[in-house]
Amino acid sequence: MNAISTAKKLPIPADALGLLAVPLAMLALWVLVTRAQWVPEQLLVSPTKVIEAVGELWEAGELQGHLQNSLRRLFLGFFSGAIFGLIFGVLMGLFKSMEDYCAPLFNAFRQIPSIAFIPMLILIFGIDETFKIIIVAKAAFFPVALGGYDSVRGIPKNYFEVAKVYQCPLWPLIKQVVIPATVPQILTGLRLSLSRSWMVLVAAELMAADSGIGQMMEWGRQMFRMDIVVVGVFITGLIGFALDYGFKWLESRMARWKMG
Amino acid sequence: MGNLIHPDFKRSAKSLSGELSIQSLHKQYRLERNYLNVLENINLTILPGEFVSIVGPSGCGKSTILRLVVGLDSDFQGRILLDGKPITSTSTDRGIVFQDHRLFPWMTVWENIAFALVNSDLPSAEKRDIVSLNIKRVNLTGFANAYPHQLSGGMAQRAAIARALVNEPKILLLDEPLGALDALTRLYLQAELQRIWIQHRSTMIMVTHDVEEALFLGDRVVVMQANPGRIKRVVPVPLEHPRDRSSPLFHRLKDEILADLIDTDSTAEAKRAKSLALRSDLG
């Protein structure tokens, strides 16, 4: 009851009870399964254990440390990948010759899953920060490049005609027409690439890292600490959700004119 | 607002600029190996302050004429002169209203109208005055901060008209501006257009599918036919503005023009085939 009444105060769009019904049912099922010991505790830990593990990790400062490391890699990788992706995508959308030269290779590379580059990148850069930031940047690059490319190509010719009728100079054309026309799609590309970057980062940390949420989970697995593994799973999900939600909010703010 | 309409509906001598002269205008499109004559030998002189309507079947090139006059397309043969000067590109002395309002969806009504001044050196206070004057002119006061998706079709089109009027063009081109609106809004906006024309005293050319609309607003009605696009007839409308849609002459002219159009339409298919066959020799 308490959880529901506090949730109602938060700015959640639909009615809070409906939004929380499924998560609460899952939680109840989880409690039931662990209480009745239908599954061995080594395989499925109880929610209480998980909460205890959170407290334990938090007090030791480990959780904060891992989170900080993961988020730092995420943002460094995401921003560098996104900036290059945006520049590349917009240029490819604007210039036919650039498209002719780069599109085939671009489309081929796009098909390779980011994690498939992990072994190669480890050989080149070792398991230090560089490798993780590069893999995240690679994951961020493609959706942003694609979003930038599509959005520039998709600007209706009509808009340019109106600009021409009023003899709009180049800079106002970019600022008042090209950017607003492309922002919604570019933001969607950025949002997709941010959640993809996060997933790839956790996967990379699982494979090779000395810190980070992924490494914490891998360490928990080796130590048979299922509670820590589950904490990692939850945190990964929560962060991914928060990043996506935050970006959607940003999208709705920056493209308010689209709301009908 | 009430006495802005000129009492006797005569144009004042103040606006003697805005004379458009189209001389032996030809335009072709290339369709694979064939040339299609979109416009063939168009000759038309439109006097300063005159309202000319253009009607004709689809594909007769009536909208193309407007695109050429406004300067969005410069691929043609012949001459188009505005006050004796040839048209080479777009200019703020020629305004256009399209069938789709073409407002930018991310700009408010105010910002959309102000966009027409994007290349103007006027001080910003003056720009503000001009924009608000034009919002008033099309009766959109109170909607300056609305986004296009919040407007009805008629309101959006009025905003587009305001945008076209901002630069006080010598000639305003209207490309089926009321084509997408419902019948009632159309009637209302026809009267609005007439009021604006009388107030604004610029030359106007309107392309329309609606013969009654053409007659209600036009000093002359240009009837075009397709394949190739050419002028079939120019019909003067010797009736005082504002026009009485029920007057006998109005009806007679409407019937005549409709008969012209139906005649053109029935032979259009045959002519299209013939024209393609002829033009294929050129390819």
Side-chain angles (χ1 to χ4, degrees), chain A residues 155 157-169 172-173 175-178 180-181 256-260, chain B residues 67 70-72 89-92 96 98 100 102-107 115-116 118-119 147 149 163-164 167:
Chain A
I155 302 176
K157 203 173 125 249
N158 284 354
Y159 292 164
F160 291 113
E161 282 191 1
V162 171
K164 197 180 168 201
V165 166
Y166 298 108
Q167 300 185 303
C168 184
L173 179 73
K175 205 176 95 182
Q176 296 189 48
V177 179
V178 174
R256 216 179 297 170
W257 51 270
K258 273 191 113 180
M259 303 295 128
Chain B
R67 290 180 62 82
V70 83
L72 282 173
S89 180
T90 55
S91 154
T92 47
I96 188 163
F98 300 96
D100 45 333
R102 298 204 187 175
L103 300 173
F104 294 122
W106 54 85
M107 294 185 188
F115 185 78
V118 68
N119 198 25
Y147 284 94
H149 75 259
R163 181 173 64 182
N167 289 298

Side-chain angles (χ1 to χ4, degrees), chain A residues 17-34:
Chain A
L17 188 66
L19 281 174
L20 287 175
V22 174
L24 286 178
M26 296 293 283
L27 184 65
L29 188 69
W30 184 12
V31 171
L32 184 72
V33 169
T34 48

Side-chain angles (χ1 to χ4, degrees), chain A residues 56-83:
Chain A
E56 184 194 319
L57 288 166
W58 185 269
E59 262 163 39
E62 274 187 62
L63 193 57
Q64 297 94 310
H66 288 307
L67 256 179
Q68 208 186 335
N69 281 331
S70 287
L71 290 177
R72 196 192 59 241
R73 289 168 192 152
L74 176 71
F75 288 113
L76 281 175
F78 170 73
F79 280 115
S80 47
I83 286 168

